[in-house]
Amino acid sequence: MTAYPHIKMLIGGEWVADGGDGSMPVANPATEAKLGDCPKVSAEQLDAALAAAEEAFPKWAATPGAERHRILSRAADLLRERAEGIARVMTLEMGKPHAQALGETTNAADLIDFLAEEAKRQGGRLVPVRSPNLLQQRVTQEPIGPAMLFTPWNFPINLPAKKLGGALAAGCSCILKPAETTPASAQMLVECFLDAGVPAGTINLVYGDPAMISQHLITAPATRKVSFTGSTAVGKQLGALAAQHLKRFTAELGGHAPVVIGESADFERTVAACAATKFRNAGQVCVSPTRFLVARGIYDKFVAEFAQRSEKLKVGDASTDDAVEMGPLAHAGRVAAMQDLMGSVGGNEGEIVTGGSAIAGKGYFFQPTIVAGPSAQSRLMTEEPFGPVAGIVPYDDIEDAVQIANSLRYGLAAYAFTASLDESHYLGKALHAGMVAINHFAVGSPETPFGGVGDSGFGSESGVEGYLGYTETKLVTVAKAGA
Ligand code: NAD
């Protein structure tokens, strides 16, 4: 049986078990059984973490890039070595199937490796001078300073790894505030960085009241950068606070990803990929496909086959059964949100083909759900479901599908399936999103930028952008002495 770790904060290189503001319980979402207690940080403890990050910053920033790379790639190796145990703990506190938790953890190690490599590559550039009196114009990317990192519960290793990897590779110190429902995953990740040799104070880890912590950290004078992943509503609040205090801000927020499926698409491969991807992490994925726009000629067949595949999914407690394909939702609030959304279905708002209800008994389970024919204006087609629910709508011409796809303020991921080269070029250009994947669903690789437009946020993580987001641009221009 997997042991759940004793949750502690990390402040100035010391593990701290006692929260100045008490503690809160952590539960297994599949059973509702208590796993442990998570300490709640106080304002005084936050000030200690800020002081530690401020003190550690110049030393870490001055550490040569090659040395930062060595330490971070060691952290990535430790994460790979410990992946099996970490994935088991992630499933306990979050509910996702073991294979998904393991894949997330090893992918996070690859992410850290890529970002660490950038510490050796980002040497800046020389710009040709305009005057013979000028000797050199040098542009460098300098680490921006202490970074405040806020991450949610749906990818409790991958999202902190993206932010910690970028910040640490670039030479920033940081304070990480992961979700309070999944603190152990973040703690085990931070242990890898510490054991690899990241110096005391360079990483700090706190949990508690999210609103109090973000207000305190973003407004603190020491803070130079804020990175948040979570809902659009909270992202807007934190962005406003960061702007007011002129702190650099990156936000990866909600999405409501369209999937345009053309008549020429390889039907069997497409429907299999849709069913597998829609219910990954019980649909609690910011880039989850949610609005399926299907050419009318294949619409009925697509709905029937998608529903059939959804019904066959094995739903259950993944912490005791590795064959489970879809686990519970992360907390009771997500089940209530799904029930509320389902209450809007009917009439013009579509018809439930399969699923549509919470599963009785212990745990936050909701059935894989397919709704056919909701109007483009329905709640399902305009509000991010963030759960195991798909809306499917027929279209007659591709321009109409693009118009529906682009009709929301979200713009994180968009997908299309087609065998037509013309259609794939058209859709790649016409779909308004930070990431467009054609004939597959993979938009998150360590080497490529991940980010959205509009209400889905701004700035990118992973790829070179994931490193540069923690830097600021500096020009040094040198003239001949006495010129
Ligand atoms: P929520 O907004 O209550 O919480 C989401 C995350 O944001 C949690 O980790 C929480 O600790 C954090 N948070 C909340 N208020 C905060 C604040 N003032 N300062 C700092 N952090 C704060 O929502 P929820 O019900 O847990 O999740 C559902 C919604 O969250 C979904 O609608 C989805 O859009 C969004 N979400 C997005 C992502 C993503 O990957 N973009 C991940 C998780 C949740």
Side-chain angles (χ1 to χ4, degrees):
M1 204 176 124
T2 306
Y4 192 71
H6 187 185
I7 304 300
K8 299 185 186 110
M9 300 186 290
L10 180 70
I11 298 177
E14 301 290 327
W15 288 105
V16 180
D18 291 329
D21 275 0
S23 66
M24 59 200 136
V26 184
N28 179 341
T31 60
E32 301 177 43
K34 185 175 164 182
L35 293 169
D37 287 297
C38 176
K40 286 176 82 178
V41 73
S42 65
E44 293 70 31
Q45 288 173 319
L46 284 177
D47 285 337
L50 281 163
E54 197 172 14
E55 195 188 329
F57 169 60
K59 291 180 222 145
W60 182 242
T63 302
E67 178 61 12
R68 294 204 301 269
H69 163 259
R70 253 193 301 278
I71 293 172
L72 298 187
S73 71
R74 218 178 290 143
D77 286 342
L78 289 175
L79 187 56
R80 276 186 204 99
E81 278 169 27
R82 300 173 188 179
E84 174 66 23
I86 292 176
R88 294 273 167 213
V89 169
M90 190 195 305
T91 296
L92 262 190
E93 64 181 5
M94 197 272 152
K96 71 176 64 176
H98 179 63
Q100 292 176 26
L102 193 58
E104 175 181 341
T105 309
T106 54
N107 179 270
D110 293 351
L111 249 165
I112 295 165
D113 265 339
F114 180 85
L115 291 162
E117 288 281 341
E118 288 305 298
K120 294 193 296 182
R121 290 192 197 114
Q122 294 292 333
R125 70 187 200 272
L126 294 179
V127 179
V129 296
R130 278 181 167 243
S131 146
N133 290 333
L134 282 182
L135 293 175
Q136 195 183 71
Q137 299 185 117
R138 194 167 75 229
V139 180
T140 54
Q141 297 304 129
E142 304 291 323
I144 189 165
M148 304 303 132
L149 313 175
F150 301 94
T151 54
W153 41 260
N154 57 339
F155 289 91
I157 288 283
N158 177 284
L159 295 172
K162 264 185 197 168
K163 295 187 199 297
L164 289 171
L168 294 170
C172 296
S173 57
C174 50
I175 302 179
L176 171 66
K177 191 213 81 66
E180 288 67 27
T181 45
T182 54
S185 303
Q187 178 171 315
M188 293 172 96
L189 173 66
V190 166
E191 280 166 358
C192 294
F193 284 106
L194 280 196
D195 294 347
V198 172
T202 308
I203 303 187
N204 300 273
L205 174 67
V206 299
Y207 327 92
D209 172 358
M212 183 282 272
I213 298 173
S214 54
Q215 170 79 28
H216 197 98
L217 294 182
I218 295 172
T219 56
T223 296
R224 297 311 318 151
K225 165 87 190 191
V226 178
S227 180
F228 171 77
T229 300
S231 66
T232 298
V234 174
K236 284 181 177 174
Q237 283 169 26
L238 302 197
L241 202 55
Q244 204 184 342
H245 293 263
L246 282 184
K247 307 294 169 72
R248 285 261 299 279
F249 184 61
T250 298
E252 200 261 279
L253 307 175
H256 202 339
V259 189
V260 178
I261 301 173
E263 200 139 1
S264 66
D266 178 326
F267 185 85
E268 284 307 320
R269 281 191 56 222
T270 302
V271 75
C274 290
T277 312
K278 171 63 253 177
F279 302 108
R280 185 169 74 100
N281 214 13
Q284 302 167 115
V285 182
C286 52
V287 292
S288 183
T290 41
R291 296 181 289 148
F292 292 81
L293 310 169
V294 182
R296 196 174 294 278
I298 54 170
Y299 174 75
D300 289 338
K301 190 172 163 208
F302 182 85
V303 171
E305 191 130 340
F306 198 166
Q308 213 176 63
R309 285 173 183 268
S310 313
E311 284 158 9
K312 284 193 193 138
L313 281 175
K314 181 165 183 180
V315 181
D317 179 358
S319 64
T320 55
D321 183 355
D322 283 355
V324 162
E325 294 167 290
M326 192 181 101
L329 302 188
H331 54 74
R334 296 312 311 152
V335 177
M338 290 307 102
Q339 283 170 322
D340 185 48
L341 191 57
M342 285 304 106
S344 71
V345 175
N348 271 348
E349 309 310 311
E351 171 205 350
I352 294 173
V353 182
T354 187
S357 305
I359 298 174
K362 283 281 181 198
Y364 309 125
F365 292 97
F366 200 85
Q367 294 171 318
T369 299
I370 305 283
V371 177
S375 74
Q377 295 73 36
S378 63
R379 270 189 64 196
L380 178 58
M381 293 295 275
T382 53
E383 271 179 35
E384 178 187 31
F386 217 69
V389 178
I392 314 181
V393 170
Y395 72 82
D396 291 308
D397 62 65
I398 197 91
E399 283 81 11
D400 290 345
V402 167
Q403 194 274 325
I404 296 173
N406 289 348
S407 63
L408 305 186
R409 293 181 59 84
Y410 292 117
L412 193 54
Y415 309 96
F417 287 80
T418 173
S420 152
L421 194 59
D422 285 356
E423 215 168 71
S424 84
H425 278 292
Y426 166 69
L427 289 167
K429 201 164 166 46
L431 289 170
H432 186 57
M435 298 169 282
V436 178
I438 296 179
N439 290 328
H440 71 133
F441 279 112
V443 287
S445 85
E447 298 81 12
T448 52
F450 188 98
V453 298
D455 272 9
S456 294
F458 52 80
S460 296
E461 299 185 298
S462 333
V464 179
E465 289 81 355
Y467 177 98
L468 294 177
Y470 292 92
T471 66
E472 54 199 358
T473 305
K474 181 175 189 180
L475 167 70
V476 177
T477 172
V478 185
K480 285 178 187 162

mmCIF file of all heavy atoms in Angstrom, residues 150-154 159 177-180 210-211 214 228-232 234 237-238 252-255 285-286 331 334 384 386 412, ligand 1:
data_model
loop_
_atom_site.group_PDB
_atom_site.id
_atom_site.type_symbol
_atom_site.label_atom_id
_atom_site.label_comp_id
_atom_site.label_asym_id
_atom_site.label_seq_id
_atom_site.Cartn_x
_atom_site.Cartn_y
_atom_site.Cartn_z
ATOM 1 N N PHE A 150 2.316 29.771 -8.919
ATOM 2 C CA PHE A 150 1.033 29.249 -8.412
ATOM 3 C C PHE A 150 0.535 28.163 -9.357
ATOM 4 O O PHE A 150 0.327 28.422 -10.547
ATOM 5 C CB PHE A 150 -0.006 30.382 -8.337
ATOM 6 C CG PHE A 150 0.419 31.512 -7.439
ATOM 7 C CD1 PHE A 150 1.071 32.623 -7.960
ATOM 8 C CD2 PHE A 150 0.191 31.456 -6.072
ATOM 9 C CE1 PHE A 150 1.477 33.666 -7.132
ATOM 10 C CE2 PHE A 150 0.585 32.495 -5.235
ATOM 11 C CZ PHE A 150 1.234 33.608 -5.767
ATOM 12 N N THR A 151 0.331 26.954 -8.813
ATOM 13 C CA THR A 151 -0.058 25.842 -9.699
ATOM 14 C C THR A 151 -1.301 25.117 -9.174
ATOM 15 O O THR A 151 -1.519 25.042 -7.970
ATOM 16 C CB THR A 151 1.099 24.826 -9.839
ATOM 17 O OG1 THR A 151 1.512 24.408 -8.539
ATOM 18 C CG2 THR A 151 2.275 25.432 -10.576
ATOM 19 N N PRO A 152 -2.113 24.559 -10.081
ATOM 20 C CA PRO A 152 -3.336 23.865 -9.676
ATOM 21 C C PRO A 152 -3.112 22.364 -9.453
ATOM 22 O O PRO A 152 -1.979 21.873 -9.483
ATOM 23 C CB PRO A 152 -4.255 24.112 -10.866
ATOM 24 C CG PRO A 152 -3.336 24.151 -12.036
ATOM 25 C CD PRO A 152 -2.000 24.663 -11.549
ATOM 26 N N TRP A 153 -4.208 21.653 -9.281
ATOM 27 C CA TRP A 153 -4.169 20.248 -8.863
ATOM 28 C C TRP A 153 -4.229 19.263 -10.017
ATOM 29 O O TRP A 153 -4.047 18.073 -9.819
ATOM 30 C CB TRP A 153 -5.359 19.978 -7.921
ATOM 31 C CG TRP A 153 -6.615 20.654 -8.378
ATOM 32 C CD1 TRP A 153 -7.136 21.822 -7.892
ATOM 33 C CD2 TRP A 153 -7.498 20.254 -9.445
ATOM 34 N NE1 TRP A 153 -8.275 22.167 -8.584
ATOM 35 C CE2 TRP A 153 -8.518 21.224 -9.544
ATOM 36 C CE3 TRP A 153 -7.529 19.172 -10.327
ATOM 37 C CZ2 TRP A 153 -9.552 21.154 -10.480
ATOM 38 C CZ3 TRP A 153 -8.553 19.095 -11.261
ATOM 39 C CH2 TRP A 153 -9.543 20.072 -11.330
ATOM 40 N N ASN A 154 -4.529 19.715 -11.240
ATOM 41 C CA ASN A 154 -4.810 18.725 -12.296
ATOM 42 C C ASN A 154 -3.558 18.049 -12.842
ATOM 43 O O ASN A 154 -3.599 16.902 -13.257
ATOM 44 C CB ASN A 154 -5.660 19.326 -13.416
ATOM 45 C CG ASN A 154 -5.048 20.554 -14.053
ATOM 46 O OD1 ASN A 154 -4.191 21.210 -13.462
ATOM 47 N ND2 ASN A 154 -5.490 20.877 -15.244
ATOM 48 N N LEU A 159 2.974 20.789 -13.912
ATOM 49 C CA LEU A 159 2.854 22.254 -13.910
ATOM 50 C C LEU A 159 3.894 22.907 -12.992
ATOM 51 O O LEU A 159 4.558 23.867 -13.409
ATOM 52 C CB LEU A 159 1.418 22.674 -13.573
ATOM 53 C CG LEU A 159 0.400 22.231 -14.645
ATOM 54 C CD1 LEU A 159 -1.025 22.483 -14.200
ATOM 55 C CD2 LEU A 159 0.664 22.930 -15.976
ATOM 56 N N LYS A 177 3.619 27.861 -4.705
ATOM 57 C CA LYS A 177 2.395 27.539 -3.958
ATOM 58 C C LYS A 177 1.557 26.593 -4.815
ATOM 59 O O LYS A 177 0.827 27.019 -5.703
ATOM 60 C CB LYS A 177 1.564 28.784 -3.618
ATOM 61 C CG LYS A 177 0.455 28.403 -2.613
ATOM 62 C CD LYS A 177 -0.817 29.183 -2.761
ATOM 63 C CE LYS A 177 -1.751 28.724 -3.828
ATOM 64 N NZ LYS A 177 -2.370 27.394 -3.644
ATOM 65 N N PRO A 178 1.685 25.296 -4.559
ATOM 66 C CA PRO A 178 0.863 24.337 -5.331
ATOM 67 C C PRO A 178 -0.548 24.290 -4.759
ATOM 68 O O PRO A 178 -0.832 24.922 -3.745
ATOM 69 C CB PRO A 178 1.601 23.012 -5.107
ATOM 70 C CG PRO A 178 2.468 23.202 -3.917
ATOM 71 C CD PRO A 178 2.520 24.652 -3.547
ATOM 72 N N ALA A 179 -1.397 23.505 -5.410
ATOM 73 C CA ALA A 179 -2.771 23.351 -4.910
ATOM 74 C C ALA A 179 -2.744 22.625 -3.567
ATOM 75 O O ALA A 179 -1.974 21.678 -3.375
ATOM 76 C CB ALA A 179 -3.585 22.561 -5.919
ATOM 77 N N GLU A 180 -3.614 23.044 -2.678
ATOM 78 C CA GLU A 180 -3.664 22.451 -1.334
ATOM 79 C C GLU A 180 -4.251 21.046 -1.359
ATOM 80 O O GLU A 180 -4.098 20.292 -0.406
ATOM 81 C CB GLU A 180 -4.492 23.356 -0.402
ATOM 82 C CG GLU A 180 -3.795 24.655 -0.025
ATOM 83 C CD GLU A 180 -3.593 25.632 -1.182
ATOM 84 O OE1 GLU A 180 -4.386 25.598 -2.153
ATOM 85 O OE2 GLU A 180 -2.622 26.411 -1.131
ATOM 86 N N PRO A 210 -5.214 30.383 -0.618
ATOM 87 C CA PRO A 210 -4.655 30.877 -1.887
ATOM 88 C C PRO A 210 -4.751 32.390 -2.055
ATOM 89 O O PRO A 210 -3.793 33.033 -2.503
ATOM 90 C CB PRO A 210 -5.494 30.162 -2.947
ATOM 91 C CG PRO A 210 -6.084 28.991 -2.269
ATOM 92 C CD PRO A 210 -6.223 29.338 -0.825
ATOM 93 N N ALA A 211 -5.904 32.964 -1.687
ATOM 94 C CA ALA A 211 -6.093 34.402 -1.905
ATOM 95 C C ALA A 211 -5.139 35.208 -1.012
ATOM 96 O O ALA A 211 -4.527 36.191 -1.450
ATOM 97 C CB ALA A 211 -7.538 34.780 -1.643
ATOM 98 N N SER A 214 -1.458 34.727 -2.427
ATOM 99 C CA SER A 214 -1.139 35.423 -3.682
ATOM 100 C C SER A 214 -1.110 36.931 -3.466
ATOM 101 O O SER A 214 -0.228 37.623 -3.974
ATOM 102 C CB SER A 214 -2.106 35.023 -4.795
ATOM 103 O OG SER A 214 -3.429 35.206 -4.396
ATOM 104 N N PHE A 228 1.062 32.003 -13.011
ATOM 105 C CA PHE A 228 -0.140 31.352 -12.470
ATOM 106 C C PHE A 228 -0.739 30.414 -13.498
ATOM 107 O O PHE A 228 -0.867 30.769 -14.675
ATOM 108 C CB PHE A 228 -1.177 32.428 -12.086
ATOM 109 C CG PHE A 228 -2.527 31.866 -11.719
ATOM 110 C CD1 PHE A 228 -2.745 31.274 -10.470
ATOM 111 C CD2 PHE A 228 -3.590 31.908 -12.621
ATOM 112 C CE1 PHE A 228 -3.984 30.744 -10.129
ATOM 113 C CE2 PHE A 228 -4.843 31.381 -12.285
ATOM 114 C CZ PHE A 228 -5.037 30.803 -11.037
ATOM 115 N N THR A 229 -1.143 29.234 -13.073
ATOM 116 C CA THR A 229 -1.973 28.356 -13.901
ATOM 117 C C THR A 229 -3.234 28.057 -13.108
ATOM 118 O O THR A 229 -3.154 27.664 -11.933
ATOM 119 C CB THR A 229 -1.240 27.049 -14.241
ATOM 120 O OG1 THR A 229 -0.054 27.364 -14.959
ATOM 121 C CG2 THR A 229 -2.100 26.134 -15.101
ATOM 122 N N GLY A 230 -4.382 28.265 -13.716
ATOM 123 C CA GLY A 230 -5.646 28.016 -13.025
ATOM 124 C C GLY A 230 -6.788 28.617 -13.815
ATOM 125 O O GLY A 230 -6.716 28.722 -15.046
ATOM 126 N N SER A 231 -7.825 29.035 -13.107
ATOM 127 C CA SER A 231 -9.034 29.497 -13.811
ATOM 128 C C SER A 231 -8.854 30.914 -14.348
ATOM 129 O O SER A 231 -8.062 31.704 -13.826
ATOM 130 C CB SER A 231 -10.230 29.437 -12.874
ATOM 131 O OG SER A 231 -10.051 30.371 -11.828
ATOM 132 N N THR A 232 -9.640 31.238 -15.370
ATOM 133 C CA THR A 232 -9.591 32.575 -15.977
ATOM 134 C C THR A 232 -9.970 33.636 -14.947
ATOM 135 O O THR A 232 -9.339 34.693 -14.882
ATOM 136 C CB THR A 232 -10.541 32.621 -17.191
ATOM 137 O OG1 THR A 232 -10.068 31.659 -18.143
ATOM 138 C CG2 THR A 232 -10.573 33.990 -17.840
ATOM 139 N N VAL A 234 -9.627 33.708 -11.641
ATOM 140 C CA VAL A 234 -8.533 33.990 -10.697
ATOM 141 C C VAL A 234 -7.352 34.609 -11.448
ATOM 142 O O VAL A 234 -6.707 35.543 -10.960
ATOM 143 C CB VAL A 234 -8.118 32.701 -9.942
ATOM 144 C CG1 VAL A 234 -6.887 32.957 -9.083
ATOM 145 C CG2 VAL A 234 -9.258 32.202 -9.075
ATOM 146 N N GLN A 237 -7.772 38.267 -11.720
ATOM 147 C CA GLN A 237 -7.511 38.977 -10.446
ATOM 148 C C GLN A 237 -6.009 39.105 -10.197
ATOM 149 O O GLN A 237 -5.512 40.169 -9.840
ATOM 150 C CB GLN A 237 -8.072 38.176 -9.269
ATOM 151 C CG GLN A 237 -9.554 38.252 -9.075
ATOM 152 C CD GLN A 237 -9.993 37.193 -8.048
ATOM 153 O OE1 GLN A 237 -9.225 36.770 -7.185
ATOM 154 N NE2 GLN A 237 -11.227 36.764 -8.157
ATOM 155 N N LEU A 238 -5.291 38.008 -10.388
ATOM 156 C CA LEU A 238 -3.845 38.035 -10.097
ATOM 157 C C LEU A 238 -3.114 38.913 -11.116
ATOM 158 O O LEU A 238 -2.165 39.618 -10.781
ATOM 159 C CB LEU A 238 -3.265 36.627 -10.079
ATOM 160 C CG LEU A 238 -3.874 35.636 -9.080
ATOM 161 C CD1 LEU A 238 -2.950 34.434 -8.882
ATOM 162 C CD2 LEU A 238 -4.170 36.248 -7.730
ATOM 163 N N GLU A 252 -1.555 30.873 -17.523
ATOM 164 C CA GLU A 252 -2.080 29.791 -18.362
ATOM 165 C C GLU A 252 -3.427 29.434 -17.756
ATOM 166 O O GLU A 252 -3.500 28.896 -16.651
ATOM 167 C CB GLU A 252 -1.078 28.636 -18.333
ATOM 168 C CG GLU A 252 -1.257 27.686 -19.489
ATOM 169 C CD GLU A 252 -2.045 26.496 -19.047
ATOM 170 O OE1 GLU A 252 -1.465 25.589 -18.437
ATOM 171 O OE2 GLU A 252 -3.263 26.491 -19.323
ATOM 172 N N LEU A 253 -4.503 29.787 -18.466
ATOM 173 C CA LEU A 253 -5.830 29.752 -17.839
ATOM 174 C C LEU A 253 -6.725 28.706 -18.496
ATOM 175 O O LEU A 253 -6.240 27.715 -19.025
ATOM 176 C CB LEU A 253 -6.427 31.161 -17.899
ATOM 177 C CG LEU A 253 -5.494 32.242 -17.327
ATOM 178 C CD1 LEU A 253 -6.069 33.626 -17.519
ATOM 179 C CD2 LEU A 253 -5.175 31.986 -15.865
ATOM 180 N N GLY A 254 -7.992 28.947 -18.459
ATOM 181 C CA GLY A 254 -8.935 27.940 -18.956
ATOM 182 C C GLY A 254 -8.950 27.837 -20.470
ATOM 183 O O GLY A 254 -8.326 28.619 -21.185
ATOM 184 N N GLY A 255 -9.685 26.860 -20.957
ATOM 185 C CA GLY A 255 -9.863 26.679 -22.395
ATOM 186 C C GLY A 255 -11.157 25.941 -22.646
ATOM 187 O O GLY A 255 -11.794 25.444 -21.703
ATOM 188 N N VAL A 285 -8.438 18.915 -17.845
ATOM 189 C CA VAL A 285 -7.218 19.298 -18.558
ATOM 190 C C VAL A 285 -7.542 20.601 -19.284
ATOM 191 O O VAL A 285 -8.580 20.691 -19.939
ATOM 192 C CB VAL A 285 -6.824 18.211 -19.597
ATOM 193 C CG1 VAL A 285 -5.530 18.574 -20.297
ATOM 194 C CG2 VAL A 285 -6.715 16.839 -18.944
ATOM 195 N N CYS A 286 -6.663 21.583 -19.157
ATOM 196 C CA CYS A 286 -6.985 22.884 -19.777
ATOM 197 C C CYS A 286 -7.074 22.769 -21.293
ATOM 198 O O CYS A 286 -7.794 23.533 -21.930
ATOM 199 C CB CYS A 286 -5.957 23.924 -19.371
ATOM 200 S SG CYS A 286 -4.275 23.387 -19.660
ATOM 201 N N HIS A 331 -12.282 17.087 -6.652
ATOM 202 C CA HIS A 331 -12.920 17.401 -5.377
ATOM 203 C C HIS A 331 -14.429 17.520 -5.578
ATOM 204 O O HIS A 331 -14.915 17.551 -6.732
ATOM 205 C CB HIS A 331 -12.306 18.648 -4.715
ATOM 206 C CG HIS A 331 -12.279 19.884 -5.585
ATOM 207 N ND1 HIS A 331 -13.389 20.619 -5.877
ATOM 208 C CD2 HIS A 331 -11.255 20.513 -6.225
ATOM 209 C CE1 HIS A 331 -13.069 21.654 -6.640
ATOM 210 N NE2 HIS A 331 -11.766 21.610 -6.877
ATOM 211 N N ARG A 334 -16.055 19.901 -8.127
ATOM 212 C CA ARG A 334 -16.075 19.605 -9.567
ATOM 213 C C ARG A 334 -17.323 18.770 -9.915
ATOM 214 O O ARG A 334 -17.893 18.929 -10.985
ATOM 215 C CB ARG A 334 -14.807 18.855 -10.006
ATOM 216 C CG ARG A 334 -13.483 19.588 -9.862
ATOM 217 C CD ARG A 334 -13.502 20.998 -10.411
ATOM 218 N NE ARG A 334 -14.060 21.097 -11.738
ATOM 219 C CZ ARG A 334 -14.678 22.184 -12.233
ATOM 220 N NH1 ARG A 334 -14.827 23.266 -11.502
ATOM 221 N NH2 ARG A 334 -15.152 22.203 -13.447
ATOM 222 N N GLU A 384 -16.407 26.591 -20.038
ATOM 223 C CA GLU A 384 -15.448 25.487 -19.929
ATOM 224 C C GLU A 384 -15.976 24.426 -18.961
ATOM 225 O O GLU A 384 -16.229 24.727 -17.798
ATOM 226 C CB GLU A 384 -14.124 26.033 -19.388
ATOM 227 C CG GLU A 384 -13.083 24.968 -19.205
ATOM 228 C CD GLU A 384 -11.832 25.489 -18.517
ATOM 229 O OE1 GLU A 384 -11.928 26.410 -17.697
ATOM 230 O OE2 GLU A 384 -10.759 24.947 -18.807
ATOM 231 N N PHE A 386 -14.438 21.508 -17.870
ATOM 232 C CA PHE A 386 -13.364 21.008 -17.002
ATOM 233 C C PHE A 386 -13.777 19.724 -16.297
ATOM 234 O O PHE A 386 -13.659 19.578 -15.078
ATOM 235 C CB PHE A 386 -12.939 22.076 -15.982
ATOM 236 C CG PHE A 386 -11.451 22.062 -15.730
ATOM 237 C CD1 PHE A 386 -10.559 22.465 -16.706
ATOM 238 C CD2 PHE A 386 -10.927 21.613 -14.521
ATOM 239 C CE1 PHE A 386 -9.184 22.433 -16.503
ATOM 240 C CE2 PHE A 386 -9.560 21.569 -14.299
ATOM 241 C CZ PHE A 386 -8.688 21.988 -15.301
ATOM 242 N N LEU A 412 -6.952 28.502 -26.126
ATOM 243 C CA LEU A 412 -5.780 27.766 -25.664
ATOM 244 C C LEU A 412 -5.370 26.762 -26.734
ATOM 245 O O LEU A 412 -4.447 27.020 -27.486
ATOM 246 C CB LEU A 412 -6.104 27.090 -24.328
ATOM 247 C CG LEU A 412 -4.917 26.520 -23.540
ATOM 248 C CD1 LEU A 412 -3.853 27.571 -23.310
ATOM 249 C CD2 LEU A 412 -5.379 25.942 -22.211
HETATM 250 P P1 NAD B 1 -10.359 27.283 -8.379
HETATM 251 O O1 NAD B 1 -10.287 28.520 -9.209
HETATM 252 O O2 NAD B 1 -10.958 27.347 -7.019
HETATM 253 O O3 NAD B 1 -8.895 26.657 -8.183
HETATM 254 C C1 NAD B 1 -7.993 26.397 -9.232
HETATM 255 C C2 NAD B 1 -6.572 26.598 -8.702
HETATM 256 O O4 NAD B 1 -6.328 27.978 -8.480
HETATM 257 C C3 NAD B 1 -6.337 25.921 -7.341
HETATM 258 O O5 NAD B 1 -5.077 25.321 -7.359
HETATM 259 C C4 NAD B 1 -6.384 27.055 -6.321
HETATM 260 O O6 NAD B 1 -5.530 26.810 -5.214
HETATM 261 C C5 NAD B 1 -5.864 28.214 -7.136
HETATM 262 N N1 NAD B 1 -6.378 29.490 -6.674
HETATM 263 C C6 NAD B 1 -7.677 29.810 -6.444
HETATM 264 N N2 NAD B 1 -7.772 31.097 -6.025
HETATM 265 C C7 NAD B 1 -6.504 31.588 -5.985
HETATM 266 C C8 NAD B 1 -5.939 32.856 -5.643
HETATM 267 N N3 NAD B 1 -6.702 33.906 -5.272
HETATM 268 N N4 NAD B 1 -4.589 32.993 -5.708
HETATM 269 C C9 NAD B 1 -3.802 31.965 -6.094
HETATM 270 N N5 NAD B 1 -4.276 30.758 -6.442
HETATM 271 C C10 NAD B 1 -5.613 30.566 -6.397
HETATM 272 O O7 NAD B 1 -11.166 26.223 -9.238
HETATM 273 P P2 NAD B 1 -11.365 24.678 -9.107
HETATM 274 O O8 NAD B 1 -12.826 24.373 -8.964
HETATM 275 O O9 NAD B 1 -10.425 24.013 -8.174
HETATM 276 O O10 NAD B 1 -10.936 24.333 -10.574
HETATM 277 C C11 NAD B 1 -11.820 24.523 -11.659
HETATM 278 C C12 NAD B 1 -11.470 25.672 -12.531
HETATM 279 O O11 NAD B 1 -10.100 25.966 -12.467
HETATM 280 C C13 NAD B 1 -11.761 25.240 -13.947
HETATM 281 O O12 NAD B 1 -12.850 25.953 -14.413
HETATM 282 C C14 NAD B 1 -10.531 25.534 -14.736
HETATM 283 O O13 NAD B 1 -10.717 26.606 -15.613
HETATM 284 C C15 NAD B 1 -9.534 26.040 -13.743
HETATM 285 N N6 NAD B 1 -8.309 25.243 -13.766
HETATM 286 C C16 NAD B 1 -7.494 25.438 -14.801
HETATM 287 C C17 NAD B 1 -6.341 24.714 -14.869
HETATM 288 C C18 NAD B 1 -5.403 24.872 -16.026
HETATM 289 O O14 NAD B 1 -4.612 23.977 -16.245
HETATM 290 N N7 NAD B 1 -5.433 25.976 -16.723
HETATM 291 C C19 NAD B 1 -6.035 23.816 -13.875
HETATM 292 C C20 NAD B 1 -6.911 23.648 -12.790
HETATM 293 C C21 NAD B 1 -8.051 24.401 -12.733
#
